[in-house]
Amino acid sequence: MAQNGWDPQRLPDLSGRRFLVTGSTRGLGYFATEQLVRAGAHVIMTGRNPNRLQAAHAAIERRVGDASGGDVETLLLDTSNFGSVRAAAATARGRGPLHGLLLNAGIVHPPKQRRTAGGHELVFATNVLGHFALAGELLQNLAVVNGRMVWIGSMSTSLGDYEPIDVELAEGYTPWRAYVQSKVATTVLGLEADRRLRDAGVPASSVVAHPGYSISGRTTGVRGVNEPSRMTRFVDNLQTPFSQSKERGARSLVRALIDPAIAGGEFWGPRFVVHGAPHRGRPAKLTRSPELGQRLWEYCENATRVRWPFEKAAKARRRFRG
Ligand SMILES: NC(=O)c1ccc[n+]([C@@H]2O[C@H](COP(=O)([O-])OP(=O)(O)OC[C@H]3O[C@@H](n4cnc5c(N)ncnc54)[C@H](OP(=O)(O)O)[C@@H]3O)[C@@H](O)[C@H]2O)c1
């Protein structure tokens, strides 16, 4: 049903438009990809595991087919590994302009492993550092077509004071703290990116979105992509009043990525916070701090050794047109 002129089931025609989605092998990334392809887009699906990527690719072909005019290609990308990010970005750069970049991949339930091979806290590296590097590497491809990047926050950022001071969590690690801090950081960086893009006159924007509480047991079964156990279905269905499916959660991310009426620096999520149609919201107070933005930006630049090419990106569009 259409809400404020936006019907998530009848998206605008995306033929000729190109998107890259991180973590498109399952969950929100997979369903966002499906929605984009159904609307006619070309999507670069990325994932860290070739088998899961292949299974997700096959699912798109099976469920969407050729009728929409949209299509997909796959690209290996592990956001926790800077070498992988650089290699994937180099390939994606060579493929031409990008209308949107969905920075979705994420560790939601941290594993026992706490650090990457490079020594960074694993959740922070996966959810934050890899995306910071990727967005910087692909900035010019976005700028040539006035593209948009979408960072994924979480309603958990409003649940307490998780200021990322000790971002690598040298002390006081808990899986929950690692997760919430990483989501505070992605929101802060998404808003800071937009401030910096505007200041530098880069014709690209940065938006933050979150999916509410979207769970697999309430989501359509898709072979190789979403196969929850009967127990997960049972438990997740007990949470019906305050949750939604991943298909529905993906709608806020997709709208944030493609609605031309959305401006950089906005924050989108479900209308009733945990579930509902895409709705413009207000990010948690902590995440709106420009000082925190500046501090985290510098941290990410030093950790990833990626400096966003603002000057080149500001000129990129003129060159592309000329
Ligand atoms: N679901 C929610 O209610 C909720 C709420 C707030 C925010 N979010 C955010 O939404 C995003 C997606 O969540 P989800 O619920 O869809 O989670 P999910 O079902 O667990 O899917 C996570 C996706 O990220 C990928 N991924 C994990 N680590 C990766 C890495 N190092 N490199 C590349 N890809 C990696 C996974 O790939 P594999 O298949 O290889 O594991 C998978 O495709 C996350 O950023 C999460 O923080 C979700």
Side-chain angles (χ1 to χ4, degrees), residues 23 25-26 28 48 52 78-79 104 106 179 183 212 214 246:
T25 48
R26 59 193 160 92
L28 297 155
R48 59 183 164 171
R52 284 201 289 274
D78 179 339
T79 59
N104 160 80
Y179 178 69
K183 292 287 122 179
S214 302
K246 300 224 182 196

Side-chain angles (χ1 to χ4, degrees), residues 17-21 24 32-33 36-37 41-45 71-74:
R17 294 168 71 87
R18 302 174 72 256
F19 298 86
L20 186 148
V21 179
S24 46
T33 299
L36 294 167
V37 177
H42 176 85
V43 181
I44 305 177
M45 301 181 79
D71 62 355
V72 292
E73 64 183 296
T74 57

Side-chain angles (χ1 to χ4, degrees), residues 234-247:
F234 175 74
V235 171
D236 284 5
N237 278 305
L238 293 177
Q239 307 185 69
T240 295
F242 48 89
S243 68
Q244 62 182 352
S245 67
K246 300 224 182 196
E247 289 111 309

